[in-house]
Amino acid sequence: MNTYRTTATALRVLRQLRHDPRSIALMLLVPCVMLFLLRYVFDGSQATFNSIGASLLGIFPLITMFLVTSIATLRERTSGTLERLLSMPLGKADLIGGYALAFGAVAVVQSVLATGLALWVLDLDVTGSAWLLLLVALLDALLGTALGLFVSAFAASEFQAVQFMPAVIFPQLLLCGLFTPRDQMQPVLEGISNVLPMSYAVDGMNEVLRHTDLTATYIRDVAIVAGCAVLVLGLGAATLRRRTA
């Protein structure tokens, strides 16, 4: 990976995003709007919002970054931009790294906005540090970016990219422990949930919700989510095709 080429790719992607207000709104505003709606759905029960709000603070950014990244990358492929870029002295790792860096910068802003809204406007009550909560939210957004880059290699159209969401995101959403503790699931489903990264994202958020200090479980959860993001980015670089479908 060449640092200059990776940075140049990231700057190009950010310039394109600047002229796409709908994508910016989807990435930055939709998670905040969803948290706001969730808070007032449970208007009569602050305790309920506190119990699930932290988990969804990580899940919403993951979903939005997955959608935007997969569609944006596929658009570059179908328009021929990707093929032209790869005909230049630009490695696959440079391209994937540039996209990850650009969308990662957006993920930082997204996570700060969503975390700030939840804690200081919607009064989400957490026992641990706000910085620990922000770290998990950011890693979740980066994981969504990595998953979006990866699945875009297997889609031939933007519609197909959206179709990957039920296959990649929904099973994780159902098995992550949001609706019921994972250890109370049917054993086979619990085993599956143990290998899904969103499960550890939710666990990490719950650690901040319940504990004042940094715990070993939190460190494990953060490391797994970060490791999965790096692994998926590597797979994305390995599966990147030079020919436009």
Side-chain angles (χ1 to χ4, degrees), residues 71-100:
I71 292 173
T73 309
L74 183 65
R75 191 178 298 163
E76 296 247 294
R77 178 179 289 110
T78 55
S79 67
T81 302
L82 187 63
E83 190 171 342
R84 292 193 295 272
L85 288 172
L86 290 175
S87 67
M88 302 168 63
L90 182 70
K92 293 182 179 181
D94 297 325
L95 189 64
I96 290 293
Y99 273 93

Side-chain angles (χ1 to χ4, degrees), residues 77 150-156 160 164 239 241:
R77 178 179 289 110
F150 176 63
V151 304
S152 68
F154 304 98
Q160 286 186 6
F164 273 104
T239 57
R241 298 187 300 244

Side-chain angles (χ1 to χ4, degrees), residues 56-70:
L56 292 175
L57 180 59
I59 292 174
F60 288 155
L62 189 155
I63 294 173
T64 56
M65 293 305 294
F66 172 85
L67 281 173
V68 173
T69 306
S70 59

Side-chain angles (χ1 to χ4, degrees), residues 97-230:
Y99 273 93
L101 187 61
F103 285 106
V106 177
V108 171
V109 179
Q110 180 196 70
S111 300
V112 170
L113 288 176
T115 303
L117 174 70
L119 293 178
W120 296 302
V121 177
L122 303 180
D123 297 323
L124 178 67
D125 185 19
V126 296
T127 302
S129 168
W131 293 106
L132 298 180
L133 201 68
L134 176 61
L135 176 60
V136 182
L138 175 58
L139 289 175
D140 289 344
L142 293 175
L143 176 62
T145 297
L147 289 170
L149 289 170
F150 176 63
V151 304
S152 68
F154 304 98
S157 66
E158 293 182 17
F159 179 67
Q160 286 186 6
V162 174
Q163 286 180 314
F164 273 104
M165 186 172 171
V168 176
I169 300 297
F170 287 177
Q172 296 193 67
L173 186 62
L174 292 174
L175 298 176
C176 68
L178 178 64
F179 301 104
T180 187
R182 292 193 290 125
D183 57 8
Q184 295 180 17
M185 296 179 183
Q186 202 276 341
V188 173
L189 295 181
E190 182 185 357
I192 295 173
S193 74
N194 288 336
V195 300
L196 298 177
M198 191 183 290
S199 300
Y200 297 95
V202 170
D203 286 351
M205 287 294 192
N206 287 332
E207 285 294 301
V208 181
L209 188 67
R210 299 167 184 162
H211 300 281
T212 304
D213 300 322
L214 186 67
T215 65
T217 302
Y218 175 86
I219 295 173
R220 180 207 65 183
D221 295 336
V222 166
I224 290 175
V225 174
C228 287
V230 173

